[in-house]
Amino acid sequence: MAVKTESVEKNLVKLTFEVAADEFEKACNAAYRKNVGKFNINGYRKGKAPKAIIEKLYPGVFYDEAVNAVLPAAYESAVKESELDVVARPEIDVEDIKKGEPIVFTALVTTKPEVKLGQYKGVEVDKIDASVTDEDVDKDIAATQQRNARMIDIDDRPVQMGDVIKLDFKGSVDGVPFQGGEGSDYSLEIGSNTFIPGFEDQLVGAEIDKDIDVKVTFPEEYHAEDLAGKDAVFACRVKEIQVKELPELDDDFASEVSEFDTMEEYRADVRKKLEKAAEDKAKVETENAVIDKVVANAEVDVPAAMVEEQVNQQINDFAQRLQYQGMNLETYLQYTGSTRETMADQFRPQAETQVKNSLVIEAVMKAEGIEATEEDVEFELVDMAKRYNMELDKIKEIISDAEKENIKSNLSMQKTVTMLANNAVVK
């Protein structure tokens, strides 16, 4: 394959490659066989018109599908032959297609930037406090107490602060309903400050199955610009009132929420778990502090394309988490009065930091020759099998080679971070 590279600017390369005419013609023939049944040409039974006749009537009709068929392998081969380290999705164009001639593609690709490492061993970081107080234990037990509260229906009084209500509401500005301003059977704890300031306060005193108008003013900094600073009216109806009845913190409570028979044993176990969590948190925070210092000591220009890819990945991950909760991204954006663009703007600073951190850690990894072993990968697969309650052989069966390489890469990066943390000076 004829491959040509041309530097456009820093970390941006124009890659020119081609697909042989006979290979492209085979792809066009495959597209013809797949789609011939869709054509109804005078003088021929439907689906029986020759390819030449169809192409004469509809020039280039099979080109798009043929290009999609040959492009992925051709691009991958061109990148491999050029030995470019491509780090973002390319911008690919097709030159004019002429029958009987090779088809020429150009791809604008972003390559991995050079990283100039500064000091990365022996950087100084502050020691993270991992102590657990009696108050911390009390808070954890109180949270468990709240989760085990019994909900009691109330029907002989209006709404009070602290009640959990079931609410229907419909908001409007100047009499016009707005997106995301309507809800049905919404569970709301009065005093939780879930809604706009002033909304929940006005529901105190509301009676079941009686309409009440709640008047609020959206904050000037509200995320939906079309609502920011505007007065709104919510037509509300409380359908249900409940209060929480907390269980007593005694030995019976301990036996119900844990494997222990007494509060003393349960409390000791809570402290042990909190101490382990605090140690793990301190370890992560220390590693993050070390990474921050190492990255600050390095020099690297992060390509915008890498940041945008990371932003898109974060949005896709967020959308997937929403799906697990029974909501899609479009509905979430409507409900919050946001857009994909504003969400991308919010994710972009974090994405840039993540990309820069990864580039620097990878540079340290290569400088130190750190690489995860096959035993490391095997241990990770065993751990995955335990987490997903699957047989190890089944995990190995469904994990692709590419996924296995990704696991190995992630483990290598983590080993590098551990090395940096172990060599840091903690004061």
Side-chain angles (χ1 to χ4, degrees):
M1 176 186 290
V3 179
K4 177 184 175 183
T5 59
E6 177 186 351
S7 179
V8 177
E9 58 183 65
K10 196 171 186 179
N11 304 123
L12 197 62
V13 176
K14 182 180 180 181
L15 182 65
T16 305
F17 57 100
E18 64 182 39
V19 172
D22 59 344
E23 184 180 348
F24 185 67
E25 184 62 23
K26 288 179 183 178
C28 288
N29 290 337
Y32 161 73
R33 290 191 296 271
K34 179 180 177 182
N35 296 286
V36 64
K38 301 176 182 178
F39 293 92
N40 194 358
I41 308 297
N42 289 336
Y44 298 92
R45 285 182 296 161
K46 187 174 182 180
K48 297 299 182 180
K51 176 171 172 282
I53 298 297
I54 297 174
E55 289 181 325
K56 186 175 181 180
L57 292 171
Y58 306 102
V61 66
F62 302 119
Y63 284 174
D64 283 348
E65 190 162 332
V67 165
N68 290 334
V70 301
L71 178 56
Y75 170 72
E76 184 178 345
S77 178
V79 170
K80 185 175 181 180
E81 185 173 328
S82 66
E83 298 183 345
L84 294 175
D85 194 351
V86 179
V87 293
R89 189 172 301 166
E91 297 179 15
I92 300 181
D93 289 320
V94 184
E95 301 295 313
D96 289 340
I97 301 174
K98 296 181 180 178
K99 196 170 182 64
E101 295 184 12
I103 178 171
V104 179
F105 296 93
T106 59
L108 203 58
V109 298
T110 302
T111 58
K112 184 171 291 186
E114 178 187 2
V115 178
K116 294 181 180 179
L117 292 172
Q119 179 190 3
Y120 60 84
K121 286 184 176 179
V123 296
E124 294 185 355
V125 294
D126 294 330
K127 185 176 182 179
I128 305 297
D129 182 16
S131 60
V132 173
T133 66
D134 289 342
E135 184 181 2
D136 295 328
V137 177
D138 291 339
K139 286 182 179 179
D140 188 88
I141 293 175
T144 302
Q145 183 188 31
Q146 286 284 341
R147 289 194 297 271
N148 286 271
R150 188 164 64 99
M151 302 305 297
I152 300 176
D153 292 328
I154 300 296
D155 56 13
D156 59 352
R157 64 164 174 78
V159 176
Q160 294 180 1
M161 191 62 68
D163 288 347
V164 177
I165 66 172
K166 187 177 288 184
L167 179 70
D168 288 352
F169 61 89
K170 187 172 184 178
S172 61
V173 173
D174 296 329
V176 180
F178 55 85
Q179 282 189 338
E182 185 173 356
S184 179
D185 290 340
Y186 190 92
S187 180
L188 175 65
E189 181 175 349
I190 304 300
S192 63
N193 297 319
T194 303
F195 276 29
I196 303 167
F199 184 97
E200 295 169 29
D201 293 339
Q202 294 180 58
L203 289 174
V204 173
E207 299 180 4
I208 293 177
D209 291 333
K210 289 189 178 180
D211 296 331
I212 178 174
D213 285 344
V214 173
K215 299 177 181 179
V216 296
T217 300
F218 284 97
E220 293 291 343
E221 301 80 18
Y222 195 63
H223 52 73
E225 293 183 3
D226 57 329
L227 297 175
K230 291 188 177 180
D231 295 330
V233 177
F234 285 84
C236 300
R237 173 170 285 201
V238 177
K239 301 171 70 175
E240 184 180 284
I241 301 174
Q242 292 184 320
V243 294
K244 291 181 180 179
E245 183 179 75
L246 298 177
E248 292 291 331
L249 295 179
D250 52 20
D251 291 346
D252 288 338
F253 172 79
S255 63
E256 288 177 5
V257 301
S258 73
E259 59 187 271
F260 303 100
D261 296 326
T262 67
M263 275 298 295
E264 183 178 358
E265 293 173 309
Y266 170 57
R267 186 178 180 85
D269 183 67
V270 168
R271 177 179 288 277
K272 181 179 178 181
K273 289 177 179 176
L274 288 177
E275 288 173 345
K276 176 64 167 61
E279 290 171 4
D280 292 342
K281 183 171 181 275
K283 178 176 179 292
V284 171
E285 290 181 354
T286 299
E287 288 178 347
N288 289 340
V290 171
I291 291 171
D292 288 344
K293 286 288 185 70
V294 173
V295 171
N297 292 339
E299 295 181 21
V300 56
D301 291 327
V302 180
M306 291 187 72
V307 176
E308 293 311 305
E309 286 234 331
Q310 183 65 26
V311 167
N312 289 330
Q313 182 61 54
Q314 289 181 349
I315 292 176
N316 292 337
D317 291 345
F318 182 74
Q320 191 172 45
R321 291 196 297 272
L322 286 176
Q323 285 184 332
Y324 291 148
Q325 299 171 21
M327 181 184 293
N328 59 44
L329 182 60
E330 289 70 26
T331 302
Y332 172 83
L333 292 175
Q334 289 180 358
Y335 186 78
T336 58
S338 185
T339 65
R340 189 181 179 94
E341 287 71 26
T342 56
M343 179 177 287
D345 290 340
Q346 292 170 355
F347 283 151
R348 193 166 286 110
Q350 180 187 12
E352 183 171 3
T353 297
Q354 290 176 334
V355 172
K356 190 172 185 178
N357 289 356
S358 294
L359 288 170
V360 173
I361 293 170
E362 184 177 339
V364 174
M365 180 179 71
K366 289 182 178 179
E368 292 292 321
I370 297 173
E371 184 177 5
T373 65
E374 289 301 319
E375 289 76 13
D376 294 329
V377 176
E378 181 74 10
F379 184 82
E380 179 64 18
L381 294 178
V382 170
D383 188 57
M384 287 176 63
K386 290 179 181 177
R387 291 201 308 270
Y388 297 116
N389 196 25
M390 296 175 63
E391 296 292 332
L392 178 59
D393 290 342
K394 186 63 177 178
I395 287 287
K396 291 181 177 180
E397 182 182 325
I398 63 177
I399 291 289
S400 66
D401 290 341
E403 289 171 326
K404 189 175 180 181
E405 279 301 311
N406 189 50
I407 290 173
K408 187 174 183 179
S409 175
N410 289 338
L411 291 174
S412 299
M413 296 280 275
Q414 184 54 52
K415 289 182 77 169
T416 304
V417 171
T418 301
M419 181 278 292
L420 291 172
N422 289 342
N423 281 274
V425 178
V426 181
K427 298 191 298 178

